[in-house]
Amino acid sequence: MRGDGEPCAGTATRRGRGGRDWRGEKREHPFRGGPLDGRVLPILLGPTGHPPKWYEVPVPAHDGKPPTVYAYRREPAGYTKRLGLQRGWCTRTPPGAGSGAS
């Protein structure tokens, strides 16, 4: 900050895109694979505006067994044809984790 109480040009603040505060922002996010396949759920974004790298979903079990925890990994949703820019994020189950791990 300068002596007059104004922030310096280029000073980082806790504001995300469009001047909104990033804390508590949620965005619709597609899931692929596992029990949430095809669903789009609101996911809390981090300070960089990205969803978490790993997202764990506990699925309750019957007969008093411990719940099964499905782990989803963040992956690029795709790329544009012309410039190869990333189109956003999707969340997939890792290969070999189709049945989930407890």
Side-chain angles (χ1 to χ4, degrees):
M1 295 186 78
R2 298 185 308 210
D4 58 356
E6 291 295 320
C8 298
T11 302
T13 61
R14 288 187 166 200
R15 299 272 176 195
R17 295 183 203 119
R20 295 187 315 250
D21 193 356
W22 59 265
R23 289 175 285 167
E25 183 178 348
K26 290 185 179 183
R27 193 166 292 157
E28 297 293 320
H29 195 69
F31 284 83
R32 296 181 182 157
L36 297 178
D37 188 25
R39 294 189 184 178
V40 178
L41 301 173
I43 298 294
L44 189 65
L45 303 179
T48 60
H50 297 291
K53 289 184 181 181
W54 287 93
Y55 192 76
E56 295 180 348
V57 179
V59 177
H62 301 290
D63 302 330
K65 296 179 183 176
T68 302
V69 178
Y70 289 90
Y72 287 85
R73 183 178 59 188
R74 178 184 74 188
E75 291 185 353
Y79 297 93
T80 60
K81 290 181 181 180
R82 187 169 185 178
L83 297 176
L85 301 174
Q86 187 174 326
R87 292 183 181 242
W89 299 101
C90 69
T91 307
R92 295 182 190 260
T93 55
S99 62
S102 55

